[in-house]
Amino acid sequence: MSRLFQFVRQWKPIIKEGFSQSFLIAKFLCLLHVTNTHVCTPVLVYGPSMLPTLNLTGDVVLVEHLSQKFGKVGPRHVVVVRSPENPRKTVTKRIVAVEGESVTFLVEPALSDRSHTVVVPRGHVWIQGDNIYSSRDSRQFGPVPYGLILGKAFWRVWPPDGFGSL
Amino acid sequence: MGTRNFLWNSAKKFFTIGLIGLTVSDRYFSIVPVRGYSMSPTFNPQISSSTGSLTDDRVLVEKFCLEKYKFSCGDVVVFCSPSNHREMHIKRITALPGDWISTPHSYDAIVVPKGHCWVEGDNSVFSLDSRSFGPDCKVQTILEDIEDLKKNYFESCLFLFVPRTANSCSHAMAQFAVKSVRMIEWEGAFPFWLSELARKDMGVVTPFCN
């Protein structure tokens, strides 16, 4: 019995130290999560739909979430949006119109000149890629609810020669 | 010096608790109060006269499903309203992508598109759900405005159906209210133009009354 007490007395400070270090790591991870979800996070975006603003091969941009939470995201902002066709994917496009505005767009710009006009319903936004010839956006899946917007991309971090605001 | 240390330590503790609470409520579990009766009798089974929030049901919401986004028919979910991102609704999923749904407003059947789901409240009389978010979203907007007015601007509000032919009185009153800028109280008799219109309306209605 006394052997057990001796054992515990020997390891007690180490166990205490272990708990306090784990708590510190847990606190750091919580801070990381809160910053990534509610403040600002880097995102890798790739694809041809936002040429020439964003590169085909991939750019790392900083996306901030505070504008979306306060409702300050508006036209001409580049936003990261949860795709309405597949909730596990995120797409990066530019907001062209907000609720109440009417949008005129070319249905198939490569094939014909036919255009269509739509009024954006309440609580939704109309997003389009800068490269309308190669972009799957609101012209295909319709206006997107404002709540699906994850954040506004405001600064490019990589590649280094593109470092600066968008 | 001692109070400053104490304040600083308390601030650090609050900050830590806030961070951990926010992370847990975002990623794992959170507790949500259920307002309204659109999910009766599952939640809020008794319609209570008091609008106090102490009588509302509270539910435990788990966030593990948001990793894979895999839901099944019959799940009760909490989501942001598509027409107002600040409002949260709680409803039950009744159809998944690819399923066919019959719309209440016409005889057509529609297929639920990819990445979407159809939600309905358990209590279909009181529920604003996919049947109103769907093709007829203009009606949905008007209904939401009426709900907002009823909740926030009037002490009590009663809805009656009046057929259009006997409605010129309410129409004139609404037009008058829209144009006036100050608060108006009428004690005793109504203004002449209103009672004339009311008399005319009664002339239409009385043949139908016994």
Side-chain angles (χ1 to χ4, degrees):
Chain A
M1 206 57 183
S2 68
R3 286 270 292 274
L4 182 65
F5 280 142
Q6 235 178 355
F7 180 79
V8 169
R9 217 177 302 138
Q10 205 177 1
W11 286 98
K12 194 165 158 191
I14 299 180
I15 294 175
K16 239 180 151 172
E17 170 103 16
F19 268 127
S20 80
Q21 294 291 13
S22 318
F23 191 60
L24 197 64
I25 293 178
K27 271 200 296 189
F28 173 71
L29 290 176
C30 288
L31 181 67
L32 205 61
H33 165 87
V34 167
T35 314
N36 273 351
T37 321
H38 297 284
V39 179
C40 183
T41 184
V43 170
L44 174 69
V45 298
Y46 58 91
S49 62
M50 283 296 286
L51 286 166
T53 315
L54 300 172
N55 290 324
L56 169 68
T57 43
D59 283 356
V60 177
V61 293
L62 287 181
V63 173
E64 55 99 353
H65 304 281
L66 297 171
S67 303
Q68 193 265 347
K69 299 225 181 328
F70 290 119
K72 293 270 186 286
V73 182
R76 288 189 307 279
H77 289 160
V78 177
V79 288
V80 174
V81 162
R82 196 183 291 280
S83 164
E85 300 178 305
N86 184 354
R88 296 172 211 108
K89 256 182 21 177
T90 53
V91 296
T92 314
K93 301 278 180 272
R94 194 182 292 270
I95 293 183
V96 167
V98 291
E99 64 188 1
E101 295 178 2
S102 84
V103 186
T104 308
F105 58 95
L106 294 168
V107 180
E108 291 270 314
L111 300 175
S112 75
D113 273 338
R114 195 162 53 101
S115 74
H116 197 55
T117 307
V118 154
V119 174
V120 180
R122 180 151 79 143
H124 290 63
V125 293
W126 190 270
I127 56 171
Q128 271 181 218
D130 285 351
N131 181 8
I132 54 171
Y133 296 99
S134 175
S135 161
R136 194 166 170 79
D137 47 36
S138 284
R139 295 170 299 156
Q140 277 83 32
F141 48 67
V144 166
Y146 186 91
L148 283 184
I149 297 178
L150 294 173
K152 177 175 119 175
F154 68 101
W155 196 269
R156 183 186 359 232
V157 170
W158 189 271
D161 50 337
F163 191 88
S165 73
L166 280 176
Chain B
M1 199 55 203
T3 20
R4 259 220 345 229
N5 258 344
F6 174 70
L7 282 176
W8 178 241
N9 283 338
S10 316
K12 273 203 301 196
K13 273 208 190 82
F14 275 130
F15 185 65
T16 313
I17 292 174
L19 275 184
I20 296 178
L22 202 54
T23 309
V24 168
S25 118
D26 274 349
R27 281 179 159 251
Y28 305 119
F29 296 104
S30 73
I31 296 186
V32 165
V34 179
R35 299 279 199 85
Y37 304 104
S38 61
M39 287 294 285
S40 259
T42 315
F43 302 131
N44 289 345
Q46 271 105 17
I47 297 184
S48 68
S49 52
S50 65
T51 47
S53 50
L54 287 174
T55 52
D56 291 333
D57 282 2
R58 282 172 170 66
V59 290
L60 188 69
V61 175
E62 59 100 349
K63 314 272 175 119
F64 296 103
C65 55
L66 298 178
E67 298 286 315
K68 296 256 179 67
Y69 255 97
K70 207 131 184 49
F71 295 96
S72 358
C73 216
D75 284 349
V76 178
V77 290
V78 176
F79 58 95
C80 296
S81 162
S83 32
N84 184 356
H85 70 107
R86 285 179 233 270
E87 270 177 20
M88 304 274 279
H89 291 290
I90 180 164
K91 299 277 182 277
R92 193 185 293 274
I93 292 183
T94 46
L96 292 173
D99 293 348
W100 289 83
I101 279 284
S102 66
T103 48
H105 306 291
S106 66
Y107 295 113
D108 288 335
I110 55 171
V111 67
V112 177
K114 208 166 41 139
H116 290 61
C117 64
W118 189 267
V119 292
E120 277 187 24
D122 284 353
N123 185 353
S124 47
V125 174
F126 274 111
S127 167
L128 275 174
D129 46 31
S130 284
R131 297 166 303 162
S132 28
F133 294 146
D136 225 353
C137 52
K138 278 192 250 168
V139 175
Q140 156 73 5
T141 309
I142 295 173
L143 289 175
E144 277 184 346
D145 282 343
I146 295 175
E147 270 220 28
D148 187 44
L149 271 173
K150 175 183 114 175
K151 219 186 329 173
N152 297 326
Y153 295 96
F154 293 119
E155 261 184 44
S156 80
C157 187
L158 186 64
F159 292 97
L160 295 168
F161 173 71
V162 181
R164 197 181 278 187
T165 42
N167 219 356
S168 54
C169 186
S170 339
H171 180 68
M173 183 113 97
Q175 283 197 315
F176 180 75
V178 159
K179 292 199 195 101
S180 58
V181 276
R182 52 195 172 87
M183 222 164 58
I184 297 174
E185 267 184 43
W186 288 323
E187 273 181 60
F190 288 116
F192 177 72
W193 54 272
L194 198 57
S195 39
E196 273 302 307
L197 280 173
R199 208 164 300 150
K200 211 167 42 142
D201 280 343
M202 284 307 290
V204 176
V205 172
T206 32
F208 296 97
C209 302
N210 286 334

